[in-house]
Amino acid sequence: MSQKVLLNSKEVTIILHRLACQLIEKHLDFSDTILVGIQPRGVYLAERLKELLEKEYKTPEIALGYLDITFFRDDFRRTDKPLEANKTQINFIVEDKKVIFIDDVLFTGRSIRSALTAIQSFGRPAEIELLVLIDRRFSRHLPIQPDYRGRQVDAINNEKVIVSWKEKDGEDVVYLVTN
């Protein structure tokens, strides 16, 4: 098994600032916009972006929620290992809001399809956008594309993209791992 660094800590920081600026450009004061981190790994990216937007770019308080998609997945009953659900935490109205789904890696698109179904339990958003740190563009099973992407990666099927966050893993780094 080999491992290659795709993004180091400095590059991750630069990308986070670029993504924050792109969000400000489109959503200005975020009065009608909600950030939703897809559980489990999109939560770290969502929290980092919220913190950047509010502290570095002086954006007023931004609504942030966490969405668990475990029981909305199309492979829910196709796995032998028991699934562990995460916590959904959406303490605000989604109806007629602009929702930005945030996830670390866009791979097949199935997680986002599940998120689209899951969010309907909280109302009907005016629009939904997708922000990802890594876009694996040659792996899509569904016609889903990000509105905001940190880095596009051409990884083949036996390669995995692993995103490590300092809050969980001790460092900000993105690896390409080959089996």
Side-chain angles (χ1 to χ4, degrees), residues 119-136:
I119 199 69
Q120 292 174 7
S121 302
F122 299 93
R124 184 174 185 223
E127 67 181 62
I128 298 175
E129 294 179 332
L130 175 60
L131 181 148
V132 296
L133 182 65
I134 302 293
D135 175 12
R136 289 186 56 156

Side-chain angles (χ1 to χ4, degrees), residues 75-99:
D75 61 355
F76 171 59
R77 299 196 192 284
R78 293 179 178 213
T79 181
D80 292 334
K81 64 179 185 174
L83 294 174
E84 291 185 34
N86 293 287
K87 189 180 208 179
T88 290
Q89 186 177 326
I90 298 180
N91 304 326
F92 40 76
I93 303 293
V94 171
E95 191 75 27
D96 294 324
K97 298 286 186 184
K98 296 174 185 167
V99 172

Side-chain angles (χ1 to χ4, degrees), residues 49-64:
L49 285 170
K50 175 182 168 59
E51 182 179 344
L52 259 180
L53 289 165
E54 291 176 354
K55 291 183 178 170
E56 298 279 328
Y57 297 102
K58 308 299 182 214
T59 306
E61 178 91 19
I62 300 170
L64 171 63

Side-chain angles (χ1 to χ4, degrees), residues 25-48:
E25 191 175 297
K26 173 99 188 259
H27 296 277
L28 300 174
D29 66 353
F30 290 81
S31 58
D32 289 326
T33 303
I34 297 166
L35 304 180
V36 175
I38 306 297
Q39 288 277 26
R41 307 285 303 178
V43 169
Y44 303 107
L45 178 56
E47 288 173 347
R48 281 292 219 24

Side-chain angles (χ1 to χ4, degrees), residues 99-129:
V99 172
I100 302 170
F101 284 151
I102 300 175
D103 208 357
D104 61 347
V105 178
L106 175 58
F107 184 26
T108 62
R110 293 183 184 278
S111 293
I112 303 308
R113 193 226 34 94
S114 301
L116 289 166
T117 303
I119 199 69
Q120 292 174 7
S121 302
F122 299 93
R124 184 174 185 223
E127 67 181 62
I128 298 175
E129 294 179 332

